[in-house]
Amino acid sequence: MSGSKRHVRSELYIGVMSGTSLDGVDAALVDLRSRPVLLGTVFLPYPRALKTALLVLQTPSRNELHQTALIGNRLSRLYATAVGRLLRECRVAPRWIRAIGCHGQTVRHAPASGYSVQVGSPALLAQHAGIPVVADFRSADIAAGGQGAPLVPAFHAAVFRDSRVHRVIVNLGGIANVTDLPRRGPVRGFDTGPGNVLLDAWIAWKGGKDFDRDGRLASRGQPLEPLLRKLLADPYFRRSPPKSTGRDRFNLAWLRRFDVAGHKVEDVQATLSELTARSIGRAVAAFCTGAREVYLCGGGAQNSDLLRRIGQTLPKTSVASTAQLGILPDWVEAMAFAWLAQRRLRGEAGNLTGVTGAQRARVLGAIYSA
C-alpha cells in the first residue's frame, strides 16, 4: 500500500482477535469508508508458554489475579507486535489508523453472574502501538441484561444480509455460533455449542497436536452413536436463544466425564466432529426456519471433514465459505472488531438485542488513548 494522503482521510481501522481456540492472534487492516474492505492481515501463533498460561486461567488457580495481570501484559505485547508487523507490511503509518478494535482473550464467560472476562491490557497496547484502542466490548451489553455474546452477528448483518435470500452465517471458532439473516425482519444469533474446542482438546491430549489438520484423524474414525447421544443430552443444546457459552462449560474435563479414554482416538475425534456438525444442524433447523444458504467462517472452515458433516446435516441448504461473499473465512471476526471499534468512535450501537437478549441497544467498548 502506498503512503498517499488519501489514506489520512480514509477510515482505516485494525481489528485484533484471539479466540477460544487459543491458536494465536489475528490482526486485520480494514478500510471502513463504506463496505468493509480487507487491506492486509497478520497471524501470530501463541508461544507455547503463553497458551499454557492462558489455559490455566480458564479455571480457578493460586494467585490468579496476579497471573491474569501479568499474562494480560504479555498478550498485549504480542498484540502490539502483530499490529506493528501489519503496519510495516501494508506500509501504513500508525497516525493513519483511527483505532484498534481488540477483543482480548476470553478466560471466563459468566453472563448469568453478570460478567465476562477478557484478558489483556488495552492501555499497554495503545502505548506500544501509538494508536487508540477500543476494548471491553461485552460489559455494556451484559449490564443491560444481555449475554454479551455473540457480538459478530451485528457485523454479519451489515455485510452479508441479502433482501433476496434467507441466509445463515456459521462461525466455526472454538465455540460455534450462528447468525440468522432472513430477507426481512429481526436478526437472531447465538452460540450453538462446541466448534473446534473439543476437537482440539482431544487431539492435544491423545495425539500431542494443537489441532486435527483438515480433519484427517476424524475422517479415519467412525462416530460412536451411543457416546454422541450422551454428549448431545447436555442441557445447553436444548436451551432456546438468546444463549452463549465458552470453554468454561465445554472443555476436556467435561468430555472426560463420558469415559472416552477407552475408545479409539480416531472414533472419538469423529464423534466430536459429528457433535459440532449436528448441534449446528439442529440449531439451524430449529431457529433459522426457511434458510436457503449457509456460509461458514472461522478457523473450522478449513476442516474439510467438519464441513462435509455440516453439509450432511443441512441437506436442503447450500453450504459454502464466506469467501463466496467476498470475505475470507479466517478474517471475518478480526474485521468485525475493527467495525465495532468504528461504531464505538461514532457513538453507534454495536449489539443486537435479538441476539444477546439485552434490554436495549448499547454503544459497546471503552476507549484507551494512545
Side-chain angles (χ1 to χ4, degrees), residues 359-370:
Q359 297 167 4
R360 60 189 178 94
R362 295 297 304 268
V363 177
L364 305 180
I367 301 172
Y368 296 78
S369 300

Side-chain angles (χ1 to χ4, degrees), residues 32-83:
L32 293 173
R33 284 176 293 181
S34 54
R35 179 179 173 82
V37 176
L38 183 63
L39 301 178
T41 63
V42 161
F43 170 75
L44 291 183
Y46 276 159
R48 175 66 61 183
L50 179 57
K51 180 174 181 176
T52 300
L54 285 165
L55 280 169
V56 170
L57 287 183
Q58 302 292 324
T59 54
S61 58
R62 182 178 177 273
N63 206 18
E64 64 179 358
L65 293 179
H66 180 62
Q67 292 302 318
T68 297
L70 294 180
I71 292 168
N73 288 343
R74 289 166 58 189
L75 184 58
S76 293
R77 292 187 184 97
L78 186 63
Y79 290 156
T81 299
V83 169

Side-chain angles (χ1 to χ4, degrees), residues 186-209:
V187 172
R188 292 210 298 177
F190 55 94
D191 290 345
T192 60
N196 307 313
V197 64
L198 296 178
L199 290 164
D200 294 348
W202 176 251
I203 200 169
W205 184 34
K206 289 297 184 178
K209 299 179 180 179

Side-chain angles (χ1 to χ4, degrees), residues 47-330:
R48 175 66 61 183
L50 179 57
K51 180 174 181 176
T52 300
L54 285 165
L55 280 169
V56 170
L57 287 183
Q58 302 292 324
T59 54
S61 58
R62 182 178 177 273
N63 206 18
E64 64 179 358
L65 293 179
H66 180 62
Q67 292 302 318
T68 297
L70 294 180
I71 292 168
N73 288 343
R74 289 166 58 189
L75 184 58
S76 293
R77 292 187 184 97
L78 186 63
Y79 290 156
T81 299
V83 169
R85 182 175 299 181
L86 180 64
L87 294 176
R88 289 191 300 273
E89 291 183 359
C90 294
R91 299 181 182 178
V92 171
R95 66 180 182 276
W96 298 340
I97 308 298
R98 292 291 308 279
I100 298 168
C102 183
H103 174 267
Q105 181 67 61
T106 301
V107 294
R108 306 286 173 84
H109 183 64
S113 298
Y115 72 91
S116 183
V117 177
Q118 284 71 50
V119 171
S121 174
L124 187 62
L125 173 57
Q127 175 68 26
H128 280 286
I131 301 169
V133 172
V134 182
D136 189 21
F137 288 96
R138 301 195 188 278
S139 293
D141 184 87
I142 292 175
Q147 293 281 309
L151 294 179
V152 290
F155 178 71
H156 294 162
V159 299
F160 294 138
R161 195 170 195 181
D162 191 319
S163 62
R164 299 165 298 179
V165 61
H166 185 168
R167 290 174 171 168
V168 171
I169 309 298
V170 178
N171 177 45
L172 293 168
I175 297 297
N177 55 68
V178 301
T179 303
D180 186 32
L181 301 174
R183 292 187 300 119
R184 61 183 66 87
V187 172
R188 292 210 298 177
F190 55 94
D191 290 345
T192 60
N196 307 313
V197 64
L198 296 178
L199 290 164
D200 294 348
W202 176 251
I203 200 169
W205 184 34
K206 289 297 184 178
K209 299 179 180 179
D210 288 333
F211 62 97
D212 182 14
R213 188 177 297 277
D214 203 29
R216 294 170 188 167
L217 179 62
S219 67
R220 297 202 301 268
Q222 293 295 322
L224 303 164
E225 288 296 332
L227 173 61
L228 182 59
R229 286 194 295 271
K230 292 177 183 178
L231 299 177
L232 284 168
D234 187 284
Y236 182 83
F237 298 115
R238 297 193 298 272
R239 282 173 49 191
S240 296
K243 62 178 182 176
S244 61
T245 189
R247 195 183 284 270
D248 312 65
R249 185 184 192 104
F250 294 109
N251 50 47
L252 184 60
W254 178 85
L255 180 61
R256 292 177 68 174
R257 295 205 303 264
F258 296 91
D259 297 325
V260 291
H263 299 293
K264 291 182 179 179
V265 175
E266 62 270 27
D267 289 346
V268 174
Q269 193 77 358
T271 304
L272 296 176
S273 188
E274 196 70 21
L275 172 67
T276 294
R278 289 198 198 177
S279 56
I280 290 169
R282 291 181 180 185
V284 171
F287 300 108
C288 309
T289 306
R292 290 292 175 261
E293 297 178 354
V294 172
Y295 293 94
L296 309 175
C297 59
Q302 308 299 333
N303 183 329
S304 60
D305 175 79
L306 181 57
L307 268 58
R308 175 182 61 81
R309 295 178 192 275
I310 292 173
Q312 290 174 343
T313 69
L314 298 168
K316 296 182 179 180
T317 63
S318 65
V319 179
S321 157
T322 55
Q324 299 288 328
L325 301 178
I327 299 181
L328 295 174
D330 284 344

